[in-house]
Amino acid sequence: MVVSVLEEMRIRSLGVIEDAVVELSPGFTAVTGETGAGKTMVVTSLGLLLGGRADPALVRIGAAAAVVEGRITMAPDARAAIRAQEAGAELDDGALLISRTVSAEGRSRAHLGGRTVPIGLLGELADDLVAVHGQTDQQGLLRPARQREALDRYAGPGVVAALEKYGAAYRRLRDIATELAELTTRARERAQEADLLRFGVEEIAAAEPLPGEDADLAAEAERLGHAEALASAATLAHAALAGNPEDPEGVEAGTLVAGAQRALDSVAAHDPDLAVLAGRLGEVGILLGDVAGELAGYADKLDADPLRLAAVEERRAVLAHLVRKYGTDIDAVLAWAGQSGSRLAELEGDDDRISGLTAERDALRAELSGLGQQLTDLRTEAAERFAVAVTAELAELAMPHARVTVAIRQTEAVDAESGIEIGGRAVAYGPSGADEVELLLAPHPGSPARPIAKGASGGELSRVMLAVEVVFAGSDPVPTYLFDEVDAGVGGKAAVEVGRRLARLARTAQVVVVTHLPQVAAFADRQLLVEKTSDGSVTRSGVTVLEGEDRIRELSRMLAGQDDSVLARAHAEELLATARTSR
């Protein structure tokens, strides 16, 4: 099922094309026309839409700029649609509009969904939209990363399931490695912090301060330092309140208050207000008695021991040292000790955390080794099947001696700690496993197998990629394929096979082919004819959809070089009939 379709392109002032609209089929579209008519400009236009290099020499002589516009329908949740919308583009009724302008001076601009975007963004979207296979422009499966992805899908659900498990373990291992790196790089700072905290906590614990002890000792030191003055004042106050035994004639406050109360009591019955005052004098007498008693006890227990004062001052010095270092008072010092103890436990727990993470990391690396080995085995088995299938396809495409193989390699890890074990050796690994997948081609017997981009000529390469894409059909997510010169050096039965395979590929993807071969064009769902006008330009009406009699006439021209040949016409009709029945 095609998930996105390149519906049409409008080309203006590009090469020989003055103004033309190319309407494409969602299935198989063949672009035909006389040599030099401008067919390859279709490939060039699509390359510009995909972020290809802008050559000012492509701008039509006399024009200020060449413009290519494309309309691609796609689901709003397609990866390309999401990426485009992230860049500010908007879908137009389910279609993404792409525009590329190249000025005659060499300046280039790109627009996506109505927004100006960097040219590089078009290149990013190209990976998910179109695979171009031409003489000079190859994309898609020539990249090893895409080859590995396609091989995984070709291999089936076994690889997909193993890859999901591997990916989950890989992500967890990456998170652990990040946390371990942070913990170990901060080890020195944490050790220094722990030493300082430990020293402080131990120093405070050794002093054993009590809450509020500094305030209590300050008050005691003040009393001890003024013991004589305090005792003298207490004795004088007691004598004033309760009397002095050594002065029998002295009058104490208690006696005076008692006399005043008696005087009021004698007449209180005549005035309630005076009775209240007499009662208050009684309370004063009681209070004076209590104070006098406490003064006597205070004086008796007041300690003027200089040894005790020295001990108090020494203890205060110890506490003052703690306060200077850890808080504003002893209560603050004790609070700091509690917080620091918790932080110290946390820091010391980091060692346990590092040990636990290290053990988990080693276990995950062992798990990744097993999953990586499983992926390698599954990919190797799928690669063998794939190589046989592509080689068989090439034999039908006039390359009977070509042989395709799939190289699955691993890169040696820098050391055992940085890799996983595959096949008994430590190898580098990534989010998709440890395997590097590359398609190799040996075009002739005895020739070395080389990467497909280097092992074939331009025409051969397009056929190799056609064979690869046919075998990968349904596995590779790219929805549109464009082939240029896929039929180079091919004729007869092999040309029919090329057309049949392109039609087969079009069952699961959109296929656009620029071709000279009627055997290929006959298999297309839609055939477009590119024609020049008498002045040598291609106008809007110069790209037409061929149907019925017009298509038979064009196939006849491609077969015999003339469109009025009876034999060529019969052959064209036969080709179309064969294509319909064997597609």
Side-chain angles (χ1 to χ4, degrees):
M1 178 179 180
V2 180
V3 295
S4 71
V5 174
L6 176 61
E7 291 184 338
E8 66 177 27
M9 290 191 299
R10 183 176 183 183
I11 309 167
R12 287 178 288 173
S13 302
L14 185 70
V16 299
I17 299 180
E18 180 182 344
D19 190 353
V21 175
V22 180
E23 298 179 354
L24 302 171
S25 164
F28 178 8
T29 300
V31 181
T32 63
E34 293 280 4
T35 300
K39 300 187 300 300
T40 57
M41 287 297 102
V42 175
V43 181
T44 302
S45 299
L46 187 54
L48 288 173
L49 287 182
L50 300 177
R53 187 177 67 87
D55 185 354
L58 296 173
V59 179
R60 183 174 174 80
I61 296 175
V67 180
V68 181
E69 299 170 324
R71 178 181 177 87
I72 303 177
T73 58
M74 60 181 65
D77 59 348
R79 188 161 60 177
I82 294 173
R83 181 67 185 91
Q85 291 176 90
E86 288 175 348
E90 296 182 359
L91 296 183
D92 178 20
D93 193 22
L96 182 64
L97 303 181
I98 306 176
S99 174
R100 181 79 181 276
T101 302
V102 181
S103 71
E105 292 78 22
R107 293 188 301 273
S108 178
R109 290 180 297 165
H111 291 82
L112 188 66
R115 297 291 296 273
T116 301
V117 296
I119 305 298
L121 178 59
L122 301 185
E124 292 181 29
L125 297 181
D127 292 343
D128 299 313
L129 294 176
V130 182
V132 179
H133 302 300
Q135 291 272 26
T136 59
D137 189 7
Q138 294 286 343
Q139 297 179 4
L141 280 173
L142 289 185
R143 293 193 300 277
R146 178 59 64 82
Q147 293 174 9
R148 185 190 61 237
E149 293 172 5
L151 180 63
D152 286 347
R153 282 184 286 271
Y154 175 82
V159 166
V160 174
L163 197 56
E164 288 179 355
K165 292 180 181 179
Y166 177 95
Y170 177 85
R171 290 188 293 273
R172 175 57 185 159
L173 180 59
R174 183 181 57 189
D175 294 341
I176 289 175
T178 300
E179 187 173 356
L180 274 174
E182 181 180 353
L183 289 174
T184 52
T185 54
R186 292 184 54 241
R188 178 177 298 179
E189 292 87 345
R190 291 187 298 105
Q192 292 174 346
E193 182 183 359
D195 286 343
L196 291 174
L197 293 177
R198 189 179 298 106
F199 177 83
V201 170
E202 291 175 353
E203 186 177 26
I204 294 170
E208 297 182 336
L210 300 174
E213 184 181 2
D214 52 344
D216 293 342
L217 289 176
E220 184 178 0
E222 189 71 14
R223 285 197 308 273
L224 291 173
H226 300 81
E228 293 183 1
L230 293 172
S232 176
T235 300
L236 290 175
H238 179 267
L241 295 176
N244 187 352
E246 297 180 357
D247 185 11
E249 297 181 0
V251 181
E252 69 276 8
T255 300
L256 293 175
V257 170
Q261 182 183 7
R262 286 194 301 271
L264 293 179
D265 284 341
S266 63
V267 295
H270 304 295
D271 187 348
D273 291 340
L274 200 61
V276 171
L277 293 174
R280 292 174 64 186
L281 283 173
E283 294 174 359
V284 170
I286 295 172
L287 181 58
L288 287 174
D290 291 342
V291 172
E294 290 185 15
L295 286 172
Y298 175 83
D300 290 340
K301 69 180 181 180
L302 187 62
D303 186 5
D305 185 359
L307 295 178
R308 174 56 186 168
L309 177 59
V312 168
E313 293 295 350
E314 183 178 352
R315 178 62 174 173
R316 289 186 68 197
V318 171
L319 298 183
H321 174 74
L322 297 179
V323 168
R324 282 195 301 273
K325 295 176 65 175
Y326 306 113
T328 56
D329 54 29
I330 285 300
D331 288 346
V333 169
L334 291 171
W336 182 91
Q339 296 169 358
S340 298
S342 299
R343 174 59 177 162
L344 184 59
E346 179 182 335
L347 291 171
E348 291 174 341
D350 280 352
D351 292 336
D352 295 335
R353 178 64 175 160
I354 290 175
S355 298
L357 288 173
T358 300
E360 186 177 358
R361 179 199 63 190
D362 294 342
L364 281 170
R365 186 173 288 145
E367 181 182 356
L368 283 178
S369 294
L371 291 171
Q373 184 67 64
Q374 182 181 359
L375 283 172
T376 298
D377 294 342
L378 291 170
R379 285 167 174 161
T380 300
E381 185 275 331
E384 292 174 355
R385 290 189 285 113
F386 168 79
V388 170
V390 174
T391 299
E393 288 288 333
L394 289 177
E396 300 295 332
L397 296 175
M399 296 180 68
H401 304 297
R403 184 172 58 88
V404 167
T405 57
V406 181
I408 298 179
R409 311 184 186 93
Q410 297 83 33
T411 301
E412 293 286 345
V414 177
D415 52 57
E417 291 297 318
S418 63
I420 60 175
E421 184 176 329
I422 301 292
R425 57 196 181 99
V427 299
Y429 62 100
S432 299
D435 302 319
E436 299 170 4
V437 176
E438 189 170 31
L439 303 183
L440 305 177
L441 171 69
H444 310 290
S447 61
R450 304 175 63 195
I452 53 177
K454 301 176 181 179
S457 64
E460 288 177 331
L461 182 55
S462 290
R463 274 178 282 159
V464 171
M465 295 313 299
L466 172 59
V468 169
E469 299 289 14
V470 168
V471 174
F472 270 147
S475 299
D476 192 24
V478 177
T480 299
Y481 299 92
L482 191 149
F483 291 91
D484 185 23
E485 303 293 344
V486 69
D487 50 17
V490 176
K493 180 176 181 297
V496 174
E497 292 301 326
V498 170
R500 181 177 288 113
R501 278 155 178 77
L502 287 167
R504 184 189 305 171
L505 181 60
R507 296 173 188 170
T508 57
Q510 182 183 33
V511 177
V512 181
V513 179
V514 178
T515 182
H516 292 281
L517 290 180
Q519 296 95 327
V520 173
F523 279 86
D525 300 303
R526 175 177 296 173
Q527 184 173 348
L528 302 179
L529 174 63
V530 180
E531 289 182 297
K532 287 183 181 180
T533 59
S534 58
D535 63 358
S537 66
V538 177
T539 64
R540 177 187 295 270
S541 60
V543 179
T544 56
V545 178
L546 299 179
E547 296 178 347
E549 182 65 27
D550 292 335
R551 188 172 186 186
I552 292 174
R553 185 179 298 110
E554 170 62 8
L555 289 175
S556 298
R557 181 199 65 77
M558 296 172 72
L559 282 164
Q562 50 187 346
D563 53 17
D564 57 354
S565 168
V566 175
L567 291 177
R569 178 182 177 84
H571 192 183
E573 292 175 343
E574 182 182 4
L575 272 178
L576 284 173
T578 300
R580 291 192 189 101
T581 57
S582 62
R583 183 176 298 166

